[in-house]
Amino acid sequence: MQISMLSMSIAALFYIAFIILAYGLVSKIIQYKNTPAPLKIPTMPAPTTQAGVVFRMSKEVVFFESLFKSSKATWLFGWLFHFGLFLDMLRHLRYFIDPVWFWVIIIQPFGKYGSILMFVGLAGLLTRRIIVDRVRYISSPSDHLMLVLLLCITTTGMAMSFYLGADVISVKSFFIGLMTLNIQNIPADPVLIIHLIMVASLMIIFPYSKLLHAPGLFFSPSRNQVDNAREKRHISKWAKELEKN
Amino acid sequence: MADNKFDTPELREYPIIPKLQKDVMAHSKPFIAKEPHQEPLGFPGELVDDWHDVAIKKMGDLQSKYRSLQVYLDSCVKCGACTDKCHYYVGTTDPKNMPVARQDLYRKVYRRYFTFAGKYFPKLVGATDLTKDVLDDWYSYFHQCSQCRRCSVYCPYGIDTAEISMAAREVMDTIGVGQKYCNEIISKVHKIGNNLGLPGPALEDTLEGLEEDVEEETGVAVKFPLDVKGADVLLITPSADFFAEPHVDGLIGYAKVLHEAGISWTISSHASEAANFGMFIGSYDNMRKLAMRIREAAIELGVKRIVFGECGHAWRVAYSFLNTLAGPWDFLDQNYPIPQHICEVTHGLIQDNKLNFDKSLNDDMVLTYHDSCNVARASRMGDKAGGQFTIPRDIIKSVCNNFHDMSKDTIKEGTFCCGGGGGLLTDDLMELRVKGALPRMEALRRVVEDHGVTHMAAICAICKSQFAKVFPYYDFSMDQIVSVHQLVSNAIILTGQNDENDENDDGNHPQQDIDEAA
Ligand code: HEM
Ligand code: SF4
Ligand code: SF4
């Protein structure tokens, strides 16, 4: 089979994007892990057990508990977007797994509606960023562009799944091919290609942008520490050095 | 420098989020530390020549030492959830007092020098060089953060602007741009042992005076021991407790409680200060040196327990950091928490029915309680999460008949700082302090109007001093702020106490002249 220039380029782009994403993310996570937290600084009241911390963190990851306390509008749009994104990413698993797992088939329609949640959420967040003076003040161009990029990914995706349709079989064989180092042709569908290029850009941007909030949350000392300072001595390596003299 | 001509903000009926007014607080700057206040702390006396490079190097160093700093700098998504949560923003409307904007003063430099995006696309991600103007902004706005952690409660990632302020202050100290108030005080503690520079003999006089007062008032010889070897408890309390109103009434309260419970205790002249200003300037080194005085005193005096008096940031350092900084405390009695808060002691004794009270002695007051920021969000009391909220309230309710909480979003974990915490309790920042008190004043005004509250109790030396100072700006009177242990002191009936002294014990009751506010 003849592999088109286009397919080669998209394949190369995805390999590069994947390497950057993986390398960037892993090195950031290693950096966070290796940086000591010398003092106990959980935001109190904090759980007094490790199990309690897991519970606190789960509430933050799943429900955005703190955000709920602070701003209902941001919470609503933010949560819709992330939940939609989550559903949609699960839906996309079908392009990477063969045969497709049973539950991935079950959630296909929900994943499709996930994109509507994403769209509403992103549109709400972008609007808020533009009209609320405080949020506009703290925004850099990159903050707006990130939302625009995600909106474009979402709309091109929606255009394909709701109107235009896409050659799902070929797309799947392209990605399975990428994963098995056996490059296949990708359909020369402009909407699909734009969608994919933007997704690859997002992967590249991820480890060098505020998208680090995803791993960051898990390393945030004010959220992941146990409140047991009096019971258990907490001391970091560099602080221990000070005790020698 | 702080210009004393400013308007006290008006109390609003319905707190709404204020509109931004750019740079209205850019002029607010505390006095700069001179050489004598810098060098004892190990900092250069004035701005060093290669300050830019030294600062960037220090930033890198701090990022590698503090996970909080590194993670917080990377993780903020600019969602804006924290923007209206800072009392300084609410009170001043200066956008740089929004927590995220305050962090961004640091983050934009971090991005420029330490991130790919900031190095190659500075405009895109709002990265800037560290210039003299940026440094000026740092000095101004990182001294408009009381490190109260309110923002960290509401941030989806718990980003604590206090951590960034501490880092920024440490970077500034390192290049010779320190704040006079904090650094002068720290050098006093290094030399003498307390913030006031009160030497041993003066302390002894003060404590003897208190013994006489209390004996005269109650007929009971309550002791205020100093440097007594072999005492069970070492009491560490903020030095304001030794003489300032209403702090000293709190100290009298602790003494009465410990006396009545038959606990032998002592104050130490070597460690006669609970507050640890090393935290305010983010210096682990200085914080540790100050904390080590407590260890030295405990060993020297051979005590079995350490108890802290009413002080907010001090209790944070004690509860959360003391074990780290100056532990392990294996030579103390392990049956008690180390360290323990005086409220925990009193609360325990109340639970065990060891103390007698006549609550009606506080009937001339209707109380509310101000949760001090660092007690609320950076420490705990008792063995359950949230004990820092219930224990002081339980004590107040055990000694007073009239108590009303302020509105829900202004207490407990959502409490507003008094406006003077984090090393800002200095006259050169008066405008900031008055404006920063606004949200608390509004909440107080509401319970005064709705429930006839006459007094607000607190357990922090900074809160007490700050409110005594800013109350008059908001048409309250300075003696409407009371210590929790002052209430205990008013109501406690000591064994053997003369009971006919109701007239002449008014000396410690500040409520005579508060009628205009009620
Ligand atoms: C552990 C997983 C994650 C958690 C807990 C999480 C949580 C949050 C929260 C609480 C916010 C603030 C509210 C908001 O503005 O929406 C936020 C913002 C954001 N998140 Fe996530 N997130 C996660 C993963 C992701 C991923 C994988 C993406 C990738 C595209 C992403 C993209 C964004 C963006 C772009 C914003 C900023 C929205 C704005 O500009 O207002 N997040 N995230
Ligand atoms: S720690 Fe307190 S004072 Fe500082 S920015 Fe946050 S809310 Fe404001
Ligand atoms: S709440 Fe947290 S993530 Fe959101 S803008 Fe404030 S600091 Fe950044």
Side-chain angles (χ1 to χ4, degrees), chain A residues 32 41 134 222-223 227 233, chain B residues 72 74 149 152 158 319 323:
Chain A
Y32 294 159
I41 59 166
R134 285 166 293 124
S222 40
R223 291 288 180 268
D227 167 16
R233 185 158 192 244
Chain B
Y72 296 164
D74 283 339
R149 316 193 83 200
S152 97
Y319 176 88
N323 201 3

Side-chain angles (χ1 to χ4, degrees), chain B residues 67-94:
Chain B
R67 183 187 294 164
S68 51
L69 187 62
Q70 180 64 56
V71 170
Y72 296 164
L73 287 172
D74 283 339
S75 302
C76 173
V77 294
K78 311 295 173 81
C79 69
C82 60
T83 49
D84 56 343
K85 301 298 184 284
C86 178
H87 51 290
Y88 290 121
Y89 170 66
V90 176
T92 67
T93 70
D94 188 319

